[in-house]
Amino acid sequence: MTIDVHTHVVPKGWPDLDVECGGAGWPWLKISSEREAIIMVRDTEFRRIESSCWDRDVRRADMDLDGVDRQVVSPTPVFFGYDRTPAQAAALSRIFNDLTLSVTGGDPRFIPFCQVPLQDPEAACAELDRSMANGHVGVEIGNHVGDQDLDAAGIVEFLQHCAAVGAPVFVHPWDMPDGPRLDRWMARWLTGMPAETHLSALALILGGVLDRVPPSLRLCFAHGGGSFPYWLGRADNAWHRRGDLVRGRSTRPPSEYTDRLYVDSVVFSEPALRLLVDTMGEDRVVVGSDYPYPLGERPAGNVVRTASFLTPDQQRKLLVDNASRYLFG
């Protein structure tokens, strides 16, 4: 059995967001054919997608090919709307959360995660509650809101609410810095995403969030935790040697918080997976594929299934047991 905790959805269509949410310049979908479309941001092509983004029959067929039994279905971050007013982002979240449920269709193989207007903690908590009442199991959030990282007071308030209601949280990098040095070779995705994730994991620790929210909060970082696991020793060294600048509100060095975080396995190579397991612990790594996007892993979970260093018991933990605990407590 395998549970994939990191996949994305894009509905095939949605109402006119200028009308339903207010404002202008919302993402829209250019339909190319029955099986192909393009996510547009104003007049700019953001990403070409296929029917695997919205067709649950296609998704189920791909899951069967990959040996995946269940799949968490989360929003695509370009639709978060954190740069909009809280009211606009709340309206957007309601639309896309309801459309996600229409895609998953109540099929128990799909585990829907919602999105929330994270820039407004009260509205975010309300939308999480509404979505979970309608069938969502957890929530995907971006790793920051503008210049506010995960230790911002409003985001911490939302995380505390997630802990209170038992909602697992999936943290996905988004809105990476750009510029001439990052606008070639997909460098924003290849370097920006790992760096964003690393920064936000440190914010949770050095910002004292994990000292303030209860251990019942279940948090998972996408893309193997970015560069955080690789540079954890550097963070510890700085915490001890330059505590005057680094410790922030944390009470312990960063490596002593790894038992509070999950990371997915989409690191693509056995040496990277070994480092991930050695650093985060065999109970804290879950299968994630980033399906159906081209930078994801296919077959989903392949690096875990083929890793020579994992015992059968460890393999089962990474394929299913850790994800079950992350998702359902």
Side-chain angles (χ1 to χ4, degrees), residues 30-48:
K30 180 188 288 186
I31 304 295
S32 304
S33 71
E34 284 296 313
R35 294 189 295 272
E36 297 175 316
I38 305 171
I39 301 173
M40 303 292 294
V41 178
R42 295 183 171 87
D43 296 326
T44 302
E45 179 179 313
F46 174 76
R47 177 175 295 159
R48 292 178 178 269

Side-chain angles (χ1 to χ4, degrees), residues 170-197:
F170 189 69
V171 182
H172 197 288
W174 86 296
D175 193 30
M176 296 82 69
D178 58 11
R181 296 176 63 235
L182 292 169
D183 285 343
R184 53 182 184 167
W185 312 318
M186 294 196 73
R188 293 176 67 199
W189 281 262
L190 298 180
T191 67
M193 276 194 164
E196 282 288 333
T197 305

Side-chain angles (χ1 to χ4, degrees), residues 97-112:
N97 290 337
D98 292 347
L99 287 172
T100 293
L101 293 180
S102 71
V103 171
T104 57
D107 187 329
R109 295 186 70 181
F110 299 125
I111 304 168

